[in-house]
Amino acid sequence: QALKIVLGTGEQEAMDHVRKPTENLEAYELYLRGRYFWQRRGEDNIRHAIDLFEQATALDPQFARAWSSLAAAHVTLPAWSDASPAEQHPLAVSSAQKALILDDSLAEAYAVLAEMARFDKKWVEAKAYFLRAIASEPKNSTAHLWYGEHLLSVGHTRAALEEFLIAYQLDPLHPSTNNVLAGTYLRLGDTSNALKYGAVTWELGSGFGLFVQAEANRRLGEFERAMEFAEQFGDLPIEVVSKLYIKAKIDAEKMSLFFETVAENESALNLGNMLWLYAAFDRIDDAYRLLKLAPDSIDGFNCDVFWLNGLAAFRQDPRFTDLMTELGLVDYWREHGWPDTCQPAGDSVICE
């Protein structure tokens, strides 16, 4: 008011929307604290964020961004804990829908609905929601980050990298963005950038950064350096077998111990991890055995494992086309473009 800014009606409404997401200062403070903990990820942080967002929405039920943040926290919790998607996802959808009723321009809420569609392998619906999210708020880093993960799931790795880089430009200290950048560069064989973002990921608190640095150094032939990182892995089953993976890739005599440990931990590892661990050593029949035993375990979140480099033999197997057809990806590719490593061949698919 003091500056007497002259604005058009639309500009004034836009400024009011950004400036006052809630009139309740306590609710806003709870929301900001929740965002801080959610951005850091990890089970304890996400659970604490959920509690803070719930307090914020209780103080101001009209606080749309608190509802969308609550939805996002429910979506991410299963990836960082043993929380069940069956319990968390309905809560995510409900909160996202409440947010959009209050404000239909919130990118994060659309991105949550997109994530639910991706999980259910509704690829076209997921893409539509993601594009709507980005159109609503082009500078929302979460929308770009999750759309990139969708692109990874459908095999469009280079397009995914473009989205991750946009997300990084918008929020360079986001742990998950640095995490996926490290992993994507590793997929593409760019060990220099994999090491760069892997180091940042580790500094930001993600153990995946250690794995990226170990694997990148292994690929460079820096075996001692690779083992320095691998020895820092924790005691979770995936960390134990990942350490043995690095050792077995360096020393073939360690391979029998690696496979014994993998077999012992099959029930404790998710399907995506198991596929990678077997296929990375060309144990293709074991990988497809797992898929046959647990076909319902394949969701849209773990489909990205199919496109890891080092899994060429898995993709070149005749069973791969049938798998992609069952997952609905072949139909998606015919309409939205073929993945980086595959091309159509009549009614079949040829992959590298």
Side-chain angles (χ1 to χ4, degrees):
Q1 290 175 344
L3 293 172
K4 304 292 185 184
I5 298 174
V6 179
L7 296 171
T9 303
E11 293 170 308
Q12 182 64 61
E13 289 176 353
M15 284 188 68
D16 287 343
H17 176 74
V18 172
R19 187 173 62 246
K20 296 190 296 185
T22 176
E23 297 287 351
N24 189 310
L25 186 59
E26 184 179 354
Y28 190 59
E29 182 177 337
L30 289 164
Y31 161 78
L32 291 178
R33 290 170 57 201
R35 295 296 299 184
Y36 169 80
F37 285 103
W38 178 68
Q39 296 268 39
R40 291 176 65 82
R41 299 299 198 266
E43 179 176 4
D44 291 342
N45 287 330
I46 296 174
R47 289 190 182 280
H48 188 39
I50 288 173
D51 179 58
L52 292 167
F53 293 141
E54 286 178 341
Q55 291 182 56
T57 55
L59 286 172
D60 182 2
Q62 304 301 307
F63 192 174
R65 287 194 181 274
W67 283 111
S68 71
S69 294
L70 179 58
H74 281 304
V75 165
T76 52
L77 182 59
W80 296 89
S81 71
D82 59 0
S84 167
E87 295 178 0
Q88 296 299 314
H89 289 177
L91 296 173
V93 171
S94 174
S95 298
Q97 290 173 340
K98 288 177 181 177
L100 290 172
I101 289 172
L102 295 167
D103 184 347
D104 64 1
S105 71
L106 295 182
E108 190 172 66
Y110 288 119
V112 167
L113 297 180
E115 284 287 88
M116 294 300 88
R118 180 166 76 99
F119 181 83
D120 292 333
K121 301 182 288 293
K122 298 177 181 178
W123 309 111
V124 175
E125 181 180 330
K127 181 176 180 178
Y129 272 129
F130 278 126
L131 294 180
R132 186 167 184 180
I134 292 170
S136 296
E137 293 185 83
K139 293 186 178 182
N140 185 282
S141 62
T142 297
H144 288 285
L145 172 63
W146 289 356
Y147 182 42
E149 291 177 344
H150 163 79
L151 292 170
L152 275 188
S153 294
V154 300
H156 293 166
T157 305
R158 294 191 179 281
L161 177 61
E162 294 177 9
E163 293 297 322
F164 295 147
L165 289 172
I166 293 172
Y168 178 81
Q169 290 167 1
L170 294 168
D171 190 356
L173 293 181
H174 194 298
S176 291
T177 301
N178 282 277
N179 192 315
V180 296
L181 275 172
T184 303
Y185 278 120
L186 195 62
R187 290 169 185 261
L188 295 171
D190 186 340
T191 51
S192 177
N193 274 312
L195 287 169
K196 171 186 172 181
Y197 290 101
V200 176
T201 297
W202 171 236
E203 290 172 3
L204 293 173
S206 172
F208 182 66
L210 281 178
F211 174 78
V212 169
Q213 292 178 90
E215 176 64 358
N217 275 286
R218 182 197 70 78
R219 294 183 188 182
L220 290 169
E222 300 289 343
F223 297 147
E224 290 187 11
R225 185 68 171 150
M227 286 309 306
E228 288 177 8
F229 287 110
E231 291 297 341
Q232 298 179 65
F233 293 178
D235 297 324
L236 294 174
I238 184 57
E239 295 173 310
V240 171
V241 296
S242 293
K243 182 190 297 186
L244 289 174
Y245 162 86
I246 298 292
K247 291 181 177 180
K249 281 289 188 179
I250 294 173
D251 181 359
E253 292 184 1
K254 305 291 185 182
M255 200 172 296
S256 59
L257 176 60
F258 167 75
F259 282 118
E260 288 175 11
T261 307
V262 169
E264 292 171 359
N265 285 278
E266 276 194 6
S267 61
L269 300 171
N270 67 43
L271 182 62
N273 288 329
M274 291 301 303
L275 288 175
W276 159 62
L277 291 167
Y278 280 128
F281 286 92
D282 290 339
R283 297 280 289 263
I284 307 305
D285 287 339
D286 280 322
Y288 280 101
R289 171 182 60 82
L290 289 172
L291 290 167
K292 187 174 181 179
L293 289 173
D296 294 335
S297 296
I298 308 173
D299 57 57
F301 289 2
N302 59 32
C303 284
D304 67 305
V305 71
F306 301 136
W307 315 109
L308 292 170
N309 54 358
L311 271 63
F314 177 81
R315 291 189 291 270
Q316 292 166 357
D317 190 281
R319 290 168 285 189
F320 189 69
T321 296
D322 293 336
L323 174 62
M324 296 297 100
T325 301
E326 291 172 10
L327 294 175
L329 283 169
V330 174
D331 288 339
Y332 178 85
W333 293 334
R334 293 190 189 282
E335 183 179 351
H336 298 276
W338 292 89
D340 298 352
T341 57
C342 299
Q343 292 296 326
D347 294 332
S348 187
V349 177
I350 296 177
C351 298
E352 299 175 357

